[in-house]
Amino acid sequence: MSDVAANLFAIRSKIRAACLRAGRQENEVTLIAVTKTFPAERVREAFDAGQRDVGENRLQEAESKIPLLPASLRWHYIGQLQRNKVRKVLPLFSMIHSIDSLRLAQYTNEVARDLGLFPQVLLQVNHADESSKAGFSLDELRAQWQELLGLDRLEITGLMTVPPAVDDPEKARPWFATLRDLREELSLRAHAPLPYLSMGMSGDFEVAVEEGATHVRVGSAIFGSR
Ligand SMILES: *Cc1c(COP(=O)(O)O)cnc(C)c1O
């Protein structure tokens, strides 16, 4: 077994155990293998170990890998999305996790209409208001929610966050719980389910699963340090 296969196996068992602790079903959680900086051969090892969801944070890097890999991989766009990349990102990725402003959402909606697409998107929340990070603040998202819901080409299916870096994963728990509560609140206001929560990375994905993550984005714990 390759290192990648062994790491994936270990992570999937940790996700299963976290689901058990939280009384959740394992199939509620999608593991996204974050392949940024790693070459297509390493992604192929993950594919061979059964991994189907992969995440990239740069268009150019994804564009060079996607043609080299099986078409059954589902690519998730998790990085900051610049307007001038939207037209190319939409057709290549099955989900965009990083819609970080109303303006970007409106623009993506226009491009999606041009292309005849209904992309699945998540709204990125910067709930610690860290100036170094993109995303809606809690108040911004609450204030702009109706307008976001009016964007007829976007399938807004949930929220995503990258919480402040912490030394102990337990310290991330309140951030994850806050995102879950916000999801409930927005879902009630929309009278529609908001099924997805993309939260948890290599250092804290077990806590994120306990707090309700439906998508965990794990890179270094699978492929090694970057
Ligand atoms: C790189 C990255 C990850 C994965 O981080 P690891 O700590 O390597 O697991 C997750 N989410 C986003 C948005 C990233 O950019």
Side-chain angles (χ1 to χ4, degrees):
M1 205 161 36
S2 74
D3 283 354
V4 166
N7 292 342
L8 279 167
F9 185 81
I11 288 164
R12 288 187 196 124
S13 8
K14 286 180 179 168
I15 290 175
R16 189 176 315 124
C19 282
L20 268 176
R21 289 194 294 277
R24 304 182 62 203
Q25 302 291 323
E26 190 188 352
N27 63 11
E28 292 170 28
V29 182
T30 300
L31 169 60
I32 298 172
V34 176
T35 52
K36 68 184 183 204
T37 76
F38 294 100
E41 303 86 78
R42 307 299 301 284
V43 188
R44 162 72 70 164
E45 288 177 44
F47 177 85
D48 289 341
Q51 183 63 30
R52 291 296 174 271
D53 290 273
V54 292
E56 284 281 339
N57 66 346
R58 291 222 169 79
L59 170 65
Q60 248 189 327
E61 195 182 331
E63 275 179 318
S64 70
K65 289 177 206 174
I66 290 172
L68 304 174
L69 288 156
S72 55
L73 279 172
R74 288 180 292 271
W75 295 83
H76 295 254
Y77 194 87
I78 62 172
Q80 191 157 13
L81 179 56
Q82 292 162 310
R83 283 161 71 92
N84 62 0
K85 304 284 166 59
V86 171
R87 197 166 290 273
K88 284 187 163 180
V89 162
L90 288 187
L92 287 175
F93 288 84
S94 57
M95 192 186 282
I96 297 171
H97 292 232
S98 42
I99 295 292
D100 59 16
S101 70
L102 176 59
R103 228 172 128 249
L104 178 64
Q106 288 166 330
Y107 181 71
T108 304
N109 190 61
E110 294 308 309
V111 175
R113 180 176 300 113
D114 274 2
L115 299 176
L117 298 173
F118 291 91
Q120 278 214 40
V121 305
L122 307 180
L123 304 176
Q124 182 170 349
V125 178
N126 176 12
H127 45 11
D129 289 330
E130 290 176 283
S131 57
S132 61
K133 278 184 192 151
F136 293 85
S137 71
L138 298 183
D139 287 342
E140 220 171 20
L141 185 47
R142 288 184 177 113
Q144 297 173 344
W145 181 228
Q146 285 307 332
E147 219 169 328
L148 286 159
L149 287 174
L151 300 173
D152 61 332
R153 305 296 300 203
L154 300 188
E155 266 198 62
I156 300 175
T157 50
L159 306 178
M160 177 270 215
T161 196
V162 182
V166 286
D167 46 12
D168 169 5
E170 278 304 323
K171 293 187 185 152
R173 192 182 290 280
W175 297 117
F176 297 145
T178 306
L179 198 71
R180 189 189 55 217
D181 292 346
L182 181 64
R183 189 260 306 259
E184 289 313 309
E185 178 190 326
L186 297 178
S187 168
L188 280 173
R189 275 178 59 192
H191 304 293
L194 204 53
Y196 298 144
L197 285 176
S198 171
M199 56 190 198
M201 316 197 331
S202 290
D204 54 18
F205 68 90
E206 293 167 273
V207 173
V209 168
E210 288 171 7
E211 294 300 325
T214 62
H215 294 71
V216 292
R217 309 176 309 267
V218 180
S220 49
I222 298 171
F223 298 104
S225 54
R226 288 181 293 269

